[in-house]
Amino acid sequence: MADRCVCVKEMWQHLCLPQAVVSQHLKVLKESGIVTARREGTRVCYSLQAELMAELVTVFSPRKVPAPCASGPSGRQ
């Protein structure tokens, strides 16, 4: 999936959302480094960052042993 490049038009048609909404969300995702963009003629093509997505899947996967919780950088609650 990360290797696939999709243009905004394809996304908003598939998601049934206004083009402006999809474009604004893609802007935030691009600024966050979650997606990359490249121009192909008149289209801008977006792809997911595979390494980041793999890390997110790991973070959001259920754990067998709960991780210790910390409320801040010092670890104190």
Side-chain angles (χ1 to χ4, degrees):
M1 183 173 183
D3 295 334
R4 183 159 184 238
C5 184
V6 182
C7 70
V8 176
K9 181 178 180 181
E10 185 179 346
M11 282 187 231
W12 65 259
Q13 287 176 333
H14 180 77
L15 297 170
C16 297
L17 293 170
Q19 182 269 329
V21 171
V22 174
S23 292
Q24 288 299 312
H25 281 81
L26 285 169
K27 178 183 175 193
V28 172
L29 293 170
K30 184 180 171 191
E31 290 171 353
S32 301
I34 295 172
V35 298
T36 57
R38 73 173 187 267
R39 185 162 294 280
E40 293 183 350
T42 58
R43 301 178 346 147
V44 177
C45 194
Y46 293 88
S47 298
L48 291 172
Q49 286 288 54
E51 299 82 20
L52 180 58
M53 293 312 298
E55 188 175 333
L56 287 172
V57 167
T58 300
V59 168
F60 285 99
S61 294
R63 298 175 187 241
K64 293 181 181 178
V65 178
C69 294
S71 61
S74 66
R76 290 181 287 169
Q77 295 187 7

